[in-house]
Amino acid sequence: MALFLLGLFLLQTASVFSWSAEFGRNVTTVHIYETMSIPVRISKDFNDKLNCFMTATSSDESILMVDLELFQSDYASHNCHGMLNITGVFLGKAKIMFNQSVTDIKHVLSVATIRQERVIDHIFTGSVIILVSLLYINFGCAMDWSVCQETLRRPIGPLIGMFCQFIIMPLLSYGIGLVLFPTHPEMQLGMFFTGISPSGGASNIWTLLLGGNLNLSVTMTTICTLVAFGMMPFWVFTLGRYIFDRGELAVPYSRIASFAAGLIIPLAIGYLIQRKLPKLCRIMVRIMKPFSAILIIFIIIFAIATNLYLFKLFSLQIIVAGMGLPWLGFMFGGLLAFIFKQTIPDIKAIAIETGIQNTGVAIFLLRVGLKAPEDDLTTVLPVSTAIMTPLPLIVFYVIKLVRDRKQKIPSSDASLDKFKNEN
């Protein structure tokens, strides 16, 4: 009797779970707002109780919506035929699960919703590549090796800056990504790539405006730019690999290697201009600071104007991440410089150099290195960081202006009193 019941149970189990699905075509991507219909056939190995009451569900209906229409058309072979309708809602990846009951999930399809490529998208990517290359040519022209050598004779400042830039910032960006986006590896990746990017040229401008050590800032920017060629691939292939694994993404080894090698070329061109064409070099150095500012503003405005989906992606977590990385960078850089008893101008330079990331390089790497939809989804993090980075610096600059103005007024009154007394 026990054997009979066991055999009956196994037969019922087999009749429930032993079905298979065949699709008319292989689908891995669907465009936003596009509905794709796919022929589907469901068949069973057992012919005792076939029914077509199967369902297809999406793991995330904010990304992908599905509808399965099945009907039993072949009673002899016990097959169910129908159509699977897939509708792209927004950027991202979702899984389509086919089941007869809550526990009977037999087939799972992974489908990505992507944007349809436009000419403006290629223009944006190409313009970012060109502008970043021009910026690195300017870096090559602006490198003052004599100043670097003088600063490196007391290397404590640059060493603090390098530690902050290439140890603290990557770890901070990795931690922020895990905390704020625990189930979204693509957002973790955008945050991480922003954190491993070298310090931005705008740091020199802000250091000058806020009364920091400009020579130290320029030296740190130069050193960080050079060291980034090795440290960015290092972090991507070590700690970043865990993010790629969580998101089931392939690590773009060749693209990242090409990126690192590609930026050396404009840097070398700038150095050759400095050596061979000094007049042209002076002109390029003169425009480097405004050019850096224009680059940041251009990337932000162009990215938003051509990719309005960024507004949909912006959330409280995105804003907090955009604030958290640079603002914490300012704090950690300044605190570490203070602990090592640096001067006030040096503390300002190290803090600013640590917090300001080259978001243009991050966007460039994400756009070139990743495929859709990850290239779109990840871009929002460096854009958010670029928007949020200057906010505390603007506040400090206004405070500095007010303080400087107040200090000048008493000194003017004192001079006037002295003039009256003498007369």
Side-chain angles (χ1 to χ4, degrees):
M1 184 64 180
L3 292 174
F4 173 78
L5 291 175
L6 178 61
L8 182 62
F9 172 77
L10 292 174
L11 181 63
Q12 290 177 343
T13 303
S15 65
V16 172
F17 289 93
S18 55
W19 56 272
S20 60
E22 297 178 6
F23 304 96
R25 54 176 165 154
N26 184 30
V27 176
T28 56
T29 60
V30 61
H31 291 122
I32 298 176
Y33 308 129
E34 176 190 11
T35 298
M36 188 179 296
S37 297
I38 306 165
V40 61
R41 185 181 71 173
I42 305 293
S43 59
K44 283 192 176 181
D45 296 334
F46 292 83
N47 57 13
D48 49 344
K49 288 185 179 180
L50 177 68
N51 65 72
C52 291
F53 296 104
M54 296 186 185
T55 60
T57 56
S58 171
S59 61
D60 191 341
E61 292 191 347
S62 65
I63 295 175
L64 200 70
M65 295 184 67
V66 295
D67 177 42
L68 179 62
E69 301 175 1
L70 285 177
F71 55 90
Q72 189 166 327
S73 61
D74 190 346
Y75 289 92
S77 60
H78 296 272
N79 292 332
C80 297
H81 295 262
M83 298 296 293
L84 174 66
N85 300 313
I86 303 175
T87 302
V89 180
F90 194 60
L91 295 171
K93 287 183 177 180
K95 293 181 179 179
I96 303 174
M97 296 165 288
F98 299 87
N99 55 296
Q100 278 190 312
S101 63
V102 177
T103 59
D104 178 23
I105 299 176
K106 181 69 174 179
H107 291 277
V108 177
L109 291 179
S110 181
V111 178
T113 302
I114 63 175
R115 289 186 307 118
Q116 197 154 9
E117 288 192 4
R118 304 163 299 173
V119 175
I120 195 69
D121 297 322
H122 296 290
I123 294 174
F124 173 66
T125 303
S127 61
V128 170
I129 293 172
I130 292 171
L131 287 173
V132 170
S133 299
L134 289 174
L135 180 62
Y136 270 69
I137 291 176
N138 273 340
F139 273 140
C141 290
M143 286 182 183
D144 191 332
W145 296 106
S146 61
V147 173
C148 289
Q149 289 174 357
E150 185 65 28
T151 305
L152 290 175
R153 289 176 184 174
R154 297 179 60 217
I156 184 66
L159 287 176
I160 294 171
M162 287 181 59
F163 178 81
C164 292
Q165 183 64 51
F166 295 114
I167 303 297
I168 290 179
M169 294 304 283
L171 294 177
L172 268 179
S173 63
Y174 185 84
I176 291 171
L178 281 181
V179 172
L180 295 179
F181 313 105
T183 59
H184 293 85
E186 67 282 351
M187 295 301 179
Q188 297 174 19
L189 205 58
M191 192 80 263
F192 185 65
F193 272 48
T194 306
I196 64 175
S197 297
S199 55
S203 60
N204 306 142
I205 302 172
W206 282 110
T207 299
L208 180 64
L209 292 175
L210 293 175
N213 185 338
L214 183 60
N215 287 336
L216 176 59
S217 177
V218 172
T219 301
M220 288 173 59
T221 300
T222 302
I223 294 173
C224 287
T225 300
L226 296 173
V227 175
F229 291 119
M231 291 304 297
M232 288 184 73
F234 168 79
W235 280 115
V236 171
F237 300 149
T238 53
L239 194 58
R241 188 180 183 86
Y242 293 101
I243 305 177
F244 279 99
D245 290 342
R246 280 196 294 271
E248 298 178 356
L249 303 168
V251 182
Y253 292 104
S254 59
R255 294 187 180 188
I256 292 174
S258 300
F259 159 79
L263 285 183
I264 293 177
I265 296 174
L267 201 66
I269 292 173
Y271 179 75
L272 289 175
I273 292 174
Q274 183 189 89
R275 293 297 182 187
K276 304 296 182 181
L277 303 169
K279 291 184 179 180
L280 177 61
C281 179
R282 283 193 292 271
I283 296 173
M284 297 193 72
V285 170
R286 193 177 300 122
I287 66 172
M288 186 182 74
K289 291 181 180 180
F291 185 79
S292 299
I294 291 171
L295 172 64
I296 295 171
I297 295 170
F298 172 82
I299 289 174
I300 295 171
I301 294 176
F302 201 177
I304 293 174
T306 59
N307 303 291
L308 292 177
Y309 71 91
L310 285 172
F311 288 106
K312 285 189 177 182
L313 287 174
F314 260 74
S315 61
L316 180 60
Q317 289 93 332
I318 297 290
I319 295 172
V320 171
M323 293 188 300
L325 182 63
W327 296 11
L328 287 173
F330 295 142
M331 292 172 57
F332 276 103
L335 180 61
L336 204 59
F338 176 78
I339 291 173
F340 281 90
K341 300 179 179 180
Q342 300 299 290
T343 64
I344 297 298
D346 285 3
I347 291 174
K348 290 179 180 180
I350 293 170
I352 294 170
E353 199 72 25
T354 301
I356 294 182
Q357 301 298 103
N358 198 326
T359 51
V361 171
I363 292 174
F364 173 47
L365 182 56
L366 291 168
R367 285 281 183 178
V368 174
L370 302 178
K371 298 180 180 179
E374 286 79 16
D375 59 344
D376 284 322
L377 291 171
T378 54
T379 303
V380 69
L381 269 307
V383 169
S384 176
T385 302
I387 294 172
M388 300 300 167
T389 295
L391 297 183
L393 300 177
I394 293 172
V395 172
F396 284 122
Y397 181 61
V398 172
I399 293 172
K400 181 178 181 297
L401 288 178
V402 173
R403 183 180 297 171
D404 291 346
R405 185 177 180 84
K406 286 184 177 180
Q407 289 176 350
K408 287 180 181 180
I409 292 174
S411 61
S412 300
D413 293 341
S415 299
L416 182 60
D417 292 338
K418 183 179 179 181
F419 176 79
K420 288 179 178 179
N421 293 331
E422 289 176 353
N423 291 275

